[in-house]
Amino acid sequence: MENEVQDILIGTVEDISFYNDNTGFCVAEVNTGDEGVTVVGTVGELAVGAEIECRGIWSFHPSFGRQFKAETVVQTLPADVGGILKYLSSGIVRGIGPATATKIVEKFGTQTFDVLENDPARLATIRGISSAKAREMCKNFKSQFSARETLMGLTNLGLSQNEAIKTYNLLKAEAMDFITANPYALIGAETGITFDKAEQIAENLQERPPFTYRAQAGICYILHHNLGNGHTCIPRDKIIEPAKELLICDSDAVEIAIDNAIESKAIIQRKVYDRDFLFLPEIYHAERGIADRIKIMVEFPPRQNEIHQSEIYAFEESSKIKFDEKQRTAIEYAVSKGLLILTGGPGTGKTTTVKGIIQLMKNRNLKVALAAPTGRAAQRMEELTGSEAKTIHRLLEVEYKEGENTQSFVHDLKNPLDYDAVIVDELSMVDVTLFSALLDALPLHCRLIMVGDQDQLPPVGAGNVLRDMIDSGALPVVTLDKVFRQAMKSKIVTNAHRVVKGEMPEFDNSAESDFFLLKENSKYNAQKKILDLVTARLPAGYGFDPMGDIQVLCPSRMGEVGTQNINAILQAKINPPSKEKQEIRYKGYTLREGDRVMQIKNNYDVPWFKIGETGTGVFNGDIGILTRIDKANDIINVRYDDKEAMYSVENVKELELAYAMTVHKSQGSEFNAVVMPVLAVPQKLAYRNLFYTALTRAKRLLVLVGNEQGIRQMVENDKKSRRFSALKYFIESDDNDDLLTF
């Protein structure tokens, strides 16, 4: 929590309920003299009998009650005989159990620790302890003491307790020497240490490490940073200037740093279309892995399962629908060939086609899985198809361990999924790492049907998977481009198709229309119109619920008509402060009971419950209502559709107001009514595919607030934000010298 005031707790460890060797996460029972307290946190291994001083906050766990969440723990060895006996009896020192501990303490009393550290010969005078055994006991005791000293030294250099434990688990007693020599070598998910943290550590050292270490780490940092901008790789020549600025050096020093990083395998350089590109190894292997698997799937399709036109006609008859030629082609490819990209805009029949694919596959007793990148997209897929759909993470069974920054999946190359076909919707939202993990988990015989709209925004994560695969020309692609008669009645649909072609939408402000432009040139007046639309005009005119039906979509977070400002205005009107409503403030905004909120990162540990069922996990993009804030007991409840999630108060950082959201955050979702400001759009966000994505989020009504100039600026700009990626090249390339080995 921001500016959280920490408490201090001092006591004696009575019992260790749980300890994770890998993460250092510990649950201990501590006697403070006045009461017994449960202390939890990533604080390293504690010993029964040790005296500890903890800094942290009090909390209330939904299942385990009141706890002290420790951020840091300093432990000292007990000084009295009783404490020493309890400490050694805990098994903290290998080779010493309760019986041996009793013998040692009875003989040496308060001198026990001094004997264990310095005098194995005296220890060997005890009956039953040989000289060799005594030396081993003393060695183990000093090793234990050394671990505490090392952890303390690491935290003194500026590492958090969590970072210190991860570093110690990797390097053991050599951790201090390692970090002193080169703190930049610690950067990575295994330690949680970033480039900025390594810079801080370097400043705390008596002697700064050589520039070459910092320079190589800086090159990797720039590549990591650009992953956040969607780039899987960067041209070598384009990294020179930002590296000179970051490292404060000349071009020659940067070139040397790049070569050193390549030689040490910290980065990978490959020629892509006759230009040198730099990759982080894990992203390079993800793109190469996708390309190699796609080539295998194209060359070795699943066992042929030819489909007869009569089967498609029978499905049309039973479903009372009529497929066009392209829809039939898509069904034939999907069922018989087993690999297909199905793309198309709104109203072109993608969902109906997918229903046909599902049914005809099931008619052949194929086991079919449906998946989408987000919870809302999966829910929408399930509602439209009538078949169960999961997030890709749920399908692969994500594993996310407490205290670690990396995720893994139960299903992978060694443990593939048990399905004959997987159908993935909203593929435009899937980044290279997630798609690579999905392909790894597919059994060799599995069919893969990929559905998406290539004109929508690219994924938030790195890569351009859908577009690159289509552009490669290596996979079967069916593009549905016929807008069906029923959809033609919707101006939302017809205008979305006009926008894709670079044409201005047609505005029809008649009462029967579902697409409106409320003209406004003033950003202040636009705010007022948006507020009036959401809270009065649309509820009164259409019966829409401001909390459940209407969504404001903004191109940007910032500015007068950005999400931050619009959220504050709508919250003040829809859910104003009240003595009956608890609220919590975080980083300049307020969350209040009754607010519409959105989860902004995946959290696989948050418990939820609904009638007759419990589970864990809430996901990026989930939208719900904040129903309870109980700071005293450290509980926040959010209702997502039919389930209630229970958070710790510290998880408020994963929630933000959702009366308004960015267009990027809306991907994979649909709303009955969308209101969108279209004036003062920042130049870097004034793109056609952003505007198109916003239009296609509306099911029944779309209201634009602004002017035609703002709309034209987006419609005419089809440049898209440039993303560097190599997937298309890897798929097209016949160069086998660089094929991945598994």
Side-chain angles (χ1 to χ4, degrees):
M1 293 296 295
E2 186 180 48
N3 301 322
E4 187 77 60
V5 177
Q6 292 192 334
D7 289 316
I8 297 175
L9 182 143
I10 299 173
T12 304
V13 179
E14 296 285 337
D15 186 34
I16 306 296
S17 306
F18 174 80
Y19 180 68
N20 186 313
D21 288 317
N22 294 322
T23 66
F25 183 78
C26 183
V27 180
E29 303 304 320
V30 176
N31 186 346
T32 66
D34 298 322
E35 61 176 336
V37 175
T38 300
V39 173
V40 301
T42 305
V43 295
E45 187 174 12
L46 301 179
V48 173
E51 303 288 337
I52 63 172
E53 179 179 310
C54 314
R55 292 181 180 270
I57 60 173
W58 291 97
S59 65
F60 189 89
H61 191 281
S63 302
F64 304 114
R66 183 170 176 260
Q67 298 178 334
F68 189 85
K69 302 182 79 169
E71 290 293 326
T72 61
V73 171
V74 176
Q75 60 175 314
T76 57
L77 296 175
D80 63 281
V81 171
I84 294 171
L85 177 60
K86 187 179 292 185
Y87 181 90
L88 289 180
S89 297
S90 70
I92 191 71
V93 179
R94 288 197 313 276
I96 301 179
T100 304
T102 301
K103 290 180 184 179
I104 296 172
V105 176
E106 282 180 349
K107 177 142 186 161
F108 300 115
T110 56
Q111 295 182 328
T112 294
F113 291 142
D114 183 58
V115 172
L116 283 169
E117 186 172 4
N118 302 308
D119 206 340
R122 288 183 68 191
L123 191 61
T125 62
I126 296 176
R127 189 182 187 87
I129 300 180
S130 66
S131 295
K133 194 171 183 182
R135 287 194 298 270
E136 185 67 22
M137 287 178 182
C138 291
K139 178 183 175 183
N140 291 339
F141 176 78
K142 283 192 280 190
S143 174
Q144 184 68 32
F145 188 77
S146 171
R148 291 199 303 275
E149 290 286 301
T150 302
L151 287 170
M152 189 175 297
L154 292 172
T155 55
N156 287 339
L157 284 176
L159 279 72
S160 70
Q161 195 92 26
N162 190 16
E163 291 164 347
I165 289 165
K166 289 180 177 179
T167 301
Y168 181 79
N169 285 342
L170 280 174
L171 303 171
K172 301 302 180 185
E174 297 176 358
M176 283 298 294
D177 291 339
F178 191 90
I179 196 172
T180 302
N182 182 11
Y184 298 99
L186 295 174
I187 295 172
E190 296 87 354
T191 61
I193 292 174
T194 63
F195 180 79
D196 291 338
K197 174 55 72 79
E199 291 273 69
Q200 293 174 20
I201 296 169
E203 290 177 4
N204 291 333
L205 297 175
Q206 289 184 346
E207 185 177 341
R208 293 285 297 232
F211 173 77
T212 53
Y213 295 159
R214 179 172 178 267
Q216 181 171 307
I219 300 300
C220 295
Y221 169 77
I222 293 171
L223 290 175
H224 271 288
H225 176 77
N226 277 283
L227 285 180
N229 296 326
H231 306 295
T232 64
C233 52
I234 297 292
R236 177 167 176 149
D237 53 31
K238 278 193 169 289
I239 209 171
I240 305 299
E241 288 305 317
K244 285 168 58 179
E245 185 176 342
L246 175 69
L247 300 171
I248 314 175
C249 65
D250 58 24
S251 298
D252 288 343
V254 172
E255 295 282 7
I256 292 170
I258 292 172
D259 289 338
N260 288 340
I262 294 168
E263 185 176 353
S264 67
K265 295 183 169 40
I267 63 175
I268 293 173
Q269 178 174 293
R270 290 293 178 268
K271 198 170 286 293
V272 177
Y273 298 120
D274 297 321
R275 190 178 186 185
D276 287 332
F277 277 77
L278 303 178
F279 300 76
L280 291 168
E282 62 271 22
I283 303 301
Y284 171 79
H285 290 306
E287 283 203 307
R288 279 308 305 253
I290 292 170
D292 292 347
R293 182 61 189 268
I294 290 296
K295 291 176 184 178
I296 290 171
M297 295 177 78
V298 170
E299 188 173 354
F300 302 102
R303 182 173 55 84
Q304 294 297 301
N305 205 335
E306 295 300 329
I307 186 170
H308 300 289
Q309 286 293 323
S310 59
E311 296 177 72
I312 300 177
Y313 292 136
F315 176 80
E316 291 179 82
E317 181 70 24
S318 63
S319 303
K320 295 184 170 45
I321 57 174
K322 185 70 173 176
F323 289 129
D324 69 4
E325 184 179 345
K326 285 191 173 182
Q327 287 177 298
R328 291 194 183 94
T329 299
I331 294 172
E332 289 176 13
Y333 264 103
V335 178
S336 61
K337 305 295 184 185
L339 183 65
L340 174 70
I341 293 176
L342 177 64
T343 185
T348 57
K350 292 196 301 293
T351 300
T352 307
T353 306
V354 170
K355 284 182 179 180
I357 292 170
I358 294 170
Q359 189 55 55
L360 269 67
M361 284 184 173
K362 288 183 176 180
N363 288 350
R364 285 161 166 70
N365 295 318
L366 298 178
K367 192 175 180 182
V368 183
L370 275 59
T374 67
R376 292 185 67 83
Q379 181 182 353
R380 179 166 161 258
M381 188 183 192
E382 187 168 309
E383 291 169 353
L384 292 173
T385 64
S387 299
E388 181 187 13
K390 299 178 180 179
T391 64
I392 297 174
H393 286 84
R394 283 290 187 203
L395 180 69
L396 301 182
E397 296 184 48
V398 67
E399 292 181 317
Y400 195 88
K401 298 175 182 177
E402 185 161 5
E404 295 187 5
N405 295 328
T406 56
Q407 66 182 24
S408 59
F409 297 100
V410 171
H411 295 289
D412 55 16
L413 282 167
K414 297 179 181 178
N415 181 32
L417 293 161
D418 182 25
Y419 288 101
D420 302 304
V422 173
I423 302 175
V424 183
D425 196 12
E426 297 287 358
L427 191 71
S428 63
M429 297 176 64
V430 180
D431 61 35
V432 291
T433 52
L434 184 58
F435 192 61
S436 175
L438 176 64
L439 292 185
D440 283 348
L442 296 184
L444 289 176
H445 68 274
C446 190
R447 290 163 168 77
L448 178 62
I449 314 305
M450 297 163 282
V451 185
D453 188 340
Q454 61 183 315
D455 294 310
Q456 288 191 23
L457 288 168
V460 174
N464 224 345
V465 172
L466 177 60
R467 169 61 65 181
D468 282 353
M469 288 196 298
I470 291 174
D471 289 349
S472 75
L475 293 80
V477 178
V478 174
T479 302
L480 302 180
D481 50 17
K482 175 185 175 182
V483 181
F484 285 89
R485 186 181 305 169
Q486 186 174 355
M488 288 288 288
K489 298 176 183 177
S490 168
K491 282 288 184 183
I492 295 172
V493 172
T494 56
N495 278 330
H497 285 275
R498 289 180 64 86
V499 167
V500 164
K501 298 174 185 176
E503 301 172 3
M504 283 289 286
E506 295 177 338
F507 304 107
D508 175 10
N509 285 5
S510 66
E512 296 76 26
S513 179
D514 61 359
F515 191 104
F516 296 90
L517 170 64
L518 299 187
K519 293 188 177 181
E520 186 53 67
N521 296 316
S522 161
K523 289 175 280 190
Y524 175 73
N525 289 338
Q527 289 178 15
K528 294 198 295 184
K529 284 187 176 178
I530 290 170
L531 178 64
D532 186 46
L533 282 164
V534 174
T535 62
R537 291 177 63 179
L538 298 186
Y542 296 86
F544 289 142
D545 174 14
M547 297 293 280
D549 294 320
I550 306 171
Q551 183 62 57
V552 179
L553 297 183
C554 305
S556 173
R557 293 178 61 88
M558 310 304 292
E560 292 89 339
V561 288
T563 59
Q564 292 184 359
N565 203 31
I566 298 297
N567 267 321
I569 294 168
L570 289 172
Q571 181 192 42
K573 179 71 173 180
I574 297 172
N575 190 36
S578 167
K579 292 181 180 179
E580 286 73 41
K581 294 179 180 178
Q582 295 294 317
E583 58 184 46
I584 192 166
R585 190 167 179 80
Y586 179 72
K587 287 191 175 178
Y589 64 87
T590 299
L591 293 178
R592 185 175 298 127
E593 289 176 341
D595 273 334
R596 178 180 168 91
V597 294
M598 178 171 56
Q599 177 77 14
I600 59 172
K601 63 175 289 188
N602 292 339
N603 187 325
Y604 308 103
D605 298 319
V606 172
W608 55 260
F609 55 90
K610 60 183 178 181
I611 298 175
E613 187 178 350
T614 61
T616 60
V618 288
F619 300 96
N620 187 6
D622 286 352
I623 298 172
I625 304 297
L626 202 165
T627 57
R628 177 189 180 193
I629 297 174
D630 185 347
K631 286 184 275 190
N633 291 316
D634 190 31
I635 294 175
I636 294 177
N637 279 25
V638 178
R639 187 178 69 250
Y640 296 106
D641 297 320
D642 61 342
K643 67 184 182 185
E644 191 99 0
M646 185 178 290
Y647 295 79
S648 169
V649 169
E650 69 175 12
N651 290 121
V652 69
K653 61 191 175 186
E654 298 179 3
L655 296 169
E656 63 181 33
L657 293 172
Y659 302 101
M661 70 174 70
T662 63
V663 178
H664 284 85
K665 282 289 186 183
S666 73
Q667 287 178 271
S669 301
E670 276 192 340
F671 310 97
N672 282 327
V674 167
V675 177
M676 182 183 182
V678 286
L679 73 167
V681 179
Q683 183 64 39
K684 65 179 182 179
L685 294 171
Y687 291 105
R688 183 188 299 172
N689 60 350
L690 183 141
F691 186 49
Y692 171 77
T693 300
L695 303 192
T696 55
R697 300 307 93 201
K699 288 196 290 187
R700 295 172 54 189
L701 182 69
L702 178 74
V703 183
L704 304 175
V705 180
N707 52 50
E708 293 189 17
Q709 178 184 350
I711 296 171
R712 183 171 285 106
Q713 180 186 12
M714 290 186 281
V715 170
E716 293 180 353
N717 185 1
D718 193 31
K719 293 181 181 178
K720 302 183 177 68
S721 53
R722 174 72 185 276
R723 285 193 170 197
F724 291 112
S725 64
L727 179 58
K728 175 176 177 284
Y729 172 79
F730 289 150
I731 294 174
E732 293 174 344
S733 174
D734 292 326
D735 181 7
N736 294 325
D737 293 339
D738 194 36
L739 286 177
L740 298 181
T741 57
F742 296 96

